[in-house]
Every structure is written in structure tokens, then in C-alpha cells.
Amino acid sequence: MTEYLTNESKRRWNEFADDYAQMTKKYGDLHKEILLTPNLLTLIGEVKDKTVLDAGCGEGYLSRLLAGNGATVTAVDFSERMIELAVERTTEEDIHYGQANLENLSEFTEGQFDAVVSNMVIQDVSNLSAALNELYRVLKIEGCFVFSILHPCFITPESRWEKDEQGEKLYWKVDDYFKEGQFEQRFGTKDRVFAFHRTVSTYINTLIKTGFTLEEVVEPKPSRDQIEKHPDFEEDLRKPDFFVFKVKK
Ligand SMILES: C[S@@+](CC[C@H](N)C(=O)[O-])C[C@H]1O[C@@H](n2cnc3c(N)ncnc32)[C@H](O)[C@@H]1O
């Protein structure tokens, strides 16, 4: 079953890759630029002269930022089209790109990387334990793994704004939180891409079972300055869309 889901997920990401890449600028799309990229870079810390794996790199914007900060970056994605786009877009940095499913990173050796980063990918993997085990294996002892996901408490399969008759947003509705499983995200070119809803306890307990130690978590929210510049982000103070983990081997 997970093999079918992984193949179908990869097919959808390949189909969506060009449109997704179009939305991605130097620091990601606006949500990433404001909420995710600064938090990920802060949590990962100094990367100069470190070996970093960008797991599920997409078109590679974060890999390029890390390489620009002095890291030796290896970046993988299971979508061949994403990797083609990442290679095309990487004109100045020396990044080793490759196609790989995070559930099987057999081309990398145990303890190969000083740090691993994964931006908005882990909620997409069909076999969470397999992916976390592989990322743990390729990380050095004491190395950190920083990753962001859709917030498991708020972005659930049926979550949405409830609106009044004038279309004003009344509140964000969440239901069926404990029903884990595959669902379709809100974007995709023809077929919407997959994600897997899991509870917070599933994430934390799977991390612990894998051997990771929890170091820090962040629920990103915009600053007042950012809201002044981008007023639409006011609603991001009502509920977080993302959850960021820093764990250590
Ligand atoms: C939301 S995009 C994020 C891309 C990139 N990290 C970024 O921040 O722009 C999710 C990416 O994860 C990749 N992906 C999903 N499941 C994967 C898996 N099992 N193994 C490797 N890559 C995967 C997709 O192809 C896609 O490029």
C-alpha cells in the first residue's frame, strides 16, 4: 500500500513541479520567506564548512541559501522534475543533487552528514518511521535534524475557515483530529498532491522511538513589522499553519 502511495505521490509532485517552482523565489514563497526560512536557518545554526543534507529539496532554494552560508550541501528529492529544476536554477553554488526517496537513502553512509534539514516534506512521506530511521542513520552523532511540517493540530483533512454570510472569517474549524491517514493538499496542477495527517503524539513518539532527542520546537508567527508590510498575514496570528522541530541524534 505504501509503495502505491509513494509512487502516486511522486507522480503528482512531478506533474506539479514546474508550477510549484514558479511560486518559489530566493527565500521561498511569501509564507516560507516570512514564517519558515528564518526559523529553519536560526535553528540549524552555523553551517560554514559543515556537510548538510536537504531532504526533499524541491527546486533547491534552501539548499542554495545553505550553500551561500558556507555549507557543503547534498540535496535529494524523489521527484525527478524537481531535481532537474533545482539543477537548472543552481548557477553559482556547488550543490550535489540526486533523486532519492527519503524512505531509502541507501546511497548515503551512516553518519555522513553534520546536519539534516527538511522543509515541508515530512508530512508528505507515506512511511514516517522508515524516513526518520534513514535520516537518523545518515546523521552524525550529536548532529541536528531540523524540519518543518504542516501544523498537525490545525491543518487536518477537513480543517477550514467557517465564514459568515458576508464571507468574513469567523473561526478556523478543525475536526477528526485523531483520524490519521493520507489526504489531498490544497494545491496541485491537475491532481492535488498528497499529505499524511498524523497527530502531534505520533510525530513526537516516532521521533523518540527512532532515537532522536527533542531540542526545540517553533510555531512560526509573523512579527508586527512583517504584518505592517504584508497585512494579509494578520490572520496568521489566529492559528499557526506550521510546526518546526529541532531534534538531535
Ligand atoms: C512542499 S515541497 C517542499 C520543497 C522544498 N523543501 C521547499 O521548501 O521548497 C515537498 C517536496 O517533497 C518532495 N517529497 C515528497 N515526498 C518525498 C519522499 N518520500 N522522498 C523525497 N522527496 C519527497 C516533493 O517532491 C516536493 O519537492
Side-chain angles (χ1 to χ4, degrees):
M1 185 61 173
T2 62
E3 195 183 331
Y4 160 75
L5 286 175
T6 302
N7 288 339
E8 180 58 13
S9 174
K10 184 170 128 173
R11 183 188 74 74
R12 291 179 183 216
W13 271 110
N14 269 328
E15 199 176 79
F16 186 37
D18 287 77
D19 286 0
Y20 190 81
Q22 279 254 303
M23 301 187 283
T24 307
K25 314 287 178 229
K26 185 172 178 190
Y27 298 99
D29 62 15
L30 200 53
H31 271 87
K32 286 187 183 141
E33 180 173 339
I34 291 179
L35 299 170
L36 288 171
T37 309
N39 279 303
L40 292 167
L41 294 176
T42 302
L43 287 176
I44 201 164
E46 178 61 77
V47 290
K48 193 165 170 14
D49 299 327
K50 290 198 177 155
T51 50
V52 180
L53 174 69
D54 185 356
C57 60
E59 61 69 64
Y61 91 89
L62 192 60
S63 302
R64 288 187 288 279
L65 291 177
L66 291 164
N69 290 344
T72 301
V73 181
T74 299
V76 296
D77 199 287
F78 73 171
S79 155
E80 294 88 352
R81 183 60 191 147
M82 283 292 195
I83 292 298
E84 279 172 13
L85 290 162
V87 171
E88 271 169 31
R89 289 180 164 205
T90 305
T91 50
E92 286 165 21
E93 303 80 0
D94 184 18
I95 295 170
H96 313 282
Y97 287 109
Q99 192 261 335
N101 179 355
L102 301 192
E103 294 162 18
N104 177 2
L105 296 173
S106 52
E107 69 265 49
F108 302 119
T109 56
E110 189 171 339
Q112 184 171 337
F113 298 101
D114 294 315
V116 175
V117 65
S118 185
N119 191 17
M120 300 305 293
V121 184
I122 297 298
Q123 76 273 308
D124 294 358
V125 299
S126 51
N127 187 336
L128 180 65
S129 309
L132 291 182
N133 272 305
E134 279 297 78
L135 295 168
Y136 185 85
R137 185 182 63 76
V138 302
L139 193 56
K140 271 189 189 144
I141 289 173
E142 299 279 313
C144 73
F145 171 37
V146 173
F147 69 98
S148 60
I149 52 174
L150 290 170
H151 199 304
C153 301
F154 298 101
I155 311 297
T156 62
E158 300 300 328
S159 62
R160 60 173 184 275
W161 285 109
E162 285 294 313
K163 297 180 183 167
D164 66 15
E165 278 157 20
Q166 285 73 45
E168 282 296 312
K169 289 172 179 166
L170 296 171
Y171 61 90
W172 181 260
K173 180 187 163 197
V174 174
D175 205 352
D176 288 331
Y177 171 71
F178 289 106
K179 208 161 108 193
E180 297 194 318
Q182 175 254 322
F183 70 104
E184 291 185 327
Q185 295 194 50
R186 283 147 224 222
F187 51 44
T189 305
K190 288 189 203 112
D191 297 316
R192 293 166 164 214
V193 294
F194 289 165
F196 292 82
H197 171 62
R198 299 172 176 111
T199 61
V200 174
S201 48
T202 293
Y203 276 110
I204 293 177
N205 289 329
T206 313
L207 286 163
I208 292 169
K209 228 185 235 167
T210 308
F212 284 113
T213 308
L214 191 57
E215 293 254 289
E216 193 171 342
V217 294
V218 178
E219 292 171 293
K221 60 174 196 279
S223 67
R224 272 284 145 215
D225 281 356
Q226 287 169 324
I227 292 172
E228 236 163 67
K229 231 167 120 195
H230 305 284
D232 285 357
F233 277 74
E234 182 80 46
E235 76 176 39
D236 289 78
L237 289 178
R238 294 178 68 181
K239 50 119 186 102
D241 283 347
F242 307 114
F243 199 104
V244 188
F245 287 90
K246 178 177 183 174
V247 294
K248 200 168 95 178
K249 179 165 176 178

